[in-house]
Amino acid sequence: MTNLVETNLKKKLNEIYEILKTNNNTENLGVLTGLSGISLFFFHYSRLNNDDNASEIGIELIESCFNKINNGYNYPTYCSGIAGFGWFLEHLWEEDFLDFNNDKLLIDLEDYLLIKMDYDLQNNNHDFLHGGIGYGYYFLKRYKNTKSEDLKHKYKENILKIIRYFDEKSEKEHNMIKWSSELNSEKKNIGYNLSLCHGIPSIINFLCRLHEYEDFKPHVRNMIEMGVNYILSCKNKSETSTSIFPNIQTNNNNNNNKITNSRLAWCYGDLGIGITLWQAAKTLNDESLLKTSIEILIHSSHRIDLEDNLVNDAGLCHGAFGIALIFNRIFKNTNNEIFYKTSLFWCNEGLKMASHKDGYAGYKKYLSEKNIWEKEISLLEGIAGIGLVIIEILNPSNSKWDECLMLS
């Protein structure tokens, strides 16, 4: 990293910090679009700069979250609600930011989260951000960290429910397995989503995390192997496709009628698939799959045209700093300099996007469906997430806050 790039990143990070000090109020609690994601920024900023004032702001935001719950807040999901807030508290404990007893703090919320998880699974909503996997992600974190054997058993049973759901709802064919979901909520179009945020890669990614534990390994390994086979079967056949994979598959797909090109982003496209296949390769100890995953990610590193890749803003979900974060993570995983250089390229592109005079630190998120720009503070689409990526680039550490996005 050149001195100029480092200087510009530090300057932008401090701008974001100053803005979030006074603009940090939002309705929801979840780690991706709520208060806890903004609090996460302050804790990591505090560690980078040895700034106790920043961590105090983070603590104040946690207190606001509990006050909201005590006053009746009950939105449950991982992305925006209580499950994401609980995941965040577990992360703070793992990172030694705060020393508190989550076994006591969170237990009163968990029966409610289980009810919501059961409801979503009964209605075939296994979405990572807004449905079943999100609750499972929280329960897995608690299973890993709880000091209570009784609670560990409870979380184990909750997770086994999700595993049974994926087994029962799977569509098996030869050596492949896939899961359908709604592709368009208005038209009720059912198909096979290939995105990390909502689709089959998030299922495989989640199952790989379960595979680390003996309680779950025998139940998930076959689904991981067969799910990977399905994802690989979806590769684009057209030589004119920019991306290796499409966004979706339907039962009517053929080489002539499917939309082959996907964007370059965290949410949809080759990056989320590539890093999920990398995780699956490590889980399965599959050298051939590991090579394939790296080839996918190297291919993505050559995709640098913003317009062709639908990169309009700087946020984590579908913007420049989200791309930088993924390449930074895969660089840590592989130590391949190609990914480090690509990460810095997208950081530079992200800095250039701070061009909105009325934005936060120059940034706004782009809403393509409405063709409008809006100011945003959240981790997923706003300046809190941009700031966290800058912190990660400036101070490469063993922090795994990006686990909230299924990256580490």
Side-chain angles (χ1 to χ4, degrees), residues 79-114:
C79 178
S80 302
I82 295 171
F85 173 55
W87 182 95
F88 158 73
L89 293 179
E90 288 290 306
H91 171 79
L92 293 186
W93 181 82
E94 288 178 339
E95 293 281 324
D96 292 323
F97 282 117
L98 293 176
D99 184 15
F100 43 48
N101 187 346
N102 283 334
D103 284 351
K104 292 183 178 179
L105 279 175
L106 299 171
I107 189 170
D108 289 341
L109 303 172
E110 291 175 345
D111 286 344
Y112 173 65
L113 293 181
L114 179 60

Side-chain angles (χ1 to χ4, degrees), residues 159-170:
I159 293 167
L160 287 173
K161 279 188 178 183
I162 304 176
I163 294 173
R164 285 193 294 271
Y165 165 86
F166 283 121
D167 186 40
E168 292 168 2
K169 294 294 182 179
S170 63

